Every structure is written in C-alpha cells, then in structure tokens.
Amino acid sequence: MDTTYLMKRYAVVTLLTMIAVMIIGYLVEMFFNHDIGSVGGMIAVFVPAMDAGQTYVRRGHGKPANGFAWKMSVIFLIVNGAIGLVFMAALMLILGGGGELFGILSGLGVAVLSIITAVVFIGMLLATRFFFGFGAKNELKMQEKRAAEKQP
C-alpha cells in the first residue's frame, strides 16, 4: 500500500482530533470546572492510529505486517509531533502565554527536557504501534462479523 495516503489521512484525523479535544476540554472545564489534563494528548495519539489501522484493512490489505506497522508508527510519530508543534505555536500566538511556558521549560534544564522528550516519544511510538494494530484487528473482526451475518 502506498504509505502517502495513510500518512495524509493520519495527518487530517490528527488535526481534527486535536481540535475536538481542545473544544471538549474547554467545555468540560467551563461546565464542570475540571481539567482533562494529559488525557487529551493521549486521545490525539490513539484515535488517529486506530483510524489508520482500520483504513489499511478497509483498503483490502488485511492484517499489516509487523515491519510495516513499525514503519508507519515512526511516520505517525513524526507527523503527530510536527502537527502538535504547529498547533501549539498557533495557539500561543492566538492566546498568548508562550513566555510562561518557556520560563517553566528553561528552568528544567537541557538534560531533564531531553529525558522527558525521549520518554514521551518512546511512549507515543509504542502507542501508535499498538493502536495501529488494534484498529486493524478490530476492522478485521467487524468484516468477519458482517460476512457471517450475510450467510444464510
């Protein structure tokens, strides 16, 4: 399968998921006075990866090979990180607050920031790999179920 289609779809779903999470997070905070915290960031990783796995199967490719799944996970990590950085920069330009964030980050030091970044990237890589396969597996089960319902 051409990875370009899957990557483009992943990028679109990632952006839409980030916007949806931001809106839902704002509404939850406004109405329930509760911050959704890092759950929103995790959702922005899980949902697009699951969608990519389902799309892969729907396009007739069956269960993705292990090597292909890892390759796509690395691509998804890069796409998600780039979109996240652009999205965060746009929000800081619109809403402000960048100076406060950079003040906190500069206080941590380069070594701590490097460790945090590495842990986050490894976690995102493992999550995208797991949920890409999980989405493909669920789609295969749904196709089997639909095929069984059609038989007399």
Side-chain angles (χ1 to χ4, degrees), residues 102-126:
F102 290 122
I104 293 169
L105 294 177
S106 66
L108 293 176
V110 174
V112 173
L113 281 177
S114 298
I115 291 170
I116 291 171
T117 302
V119 168
V120 168
F121 280 164
I122 291 169
M124 284 177 65
L125 179 67
L126 294 174

Side-chain angles (χ1 to χ4, degrees), residues 24-68:
I24 291 169
Y26 175 76
L27 292 174
V28 166
E29 190 168 340
M30 191 170 87
F31 290 115
F32 300 108
N33 199 24
H34 184 71
D35 184 20
I36 62 172
S38 61
V39 172
M42 291 186 293
I43 291 171
V45 173
F46 301 162
V47 170
M50 280 184 67
D51 176 72
Q54 291 170 336
T55 300
Y56 182 80
V57 171
R58 284 184 194 137
R59 291 178 65 94
H61 298 285
K63 182 181 176 188
N66 202 24
F68 179 77

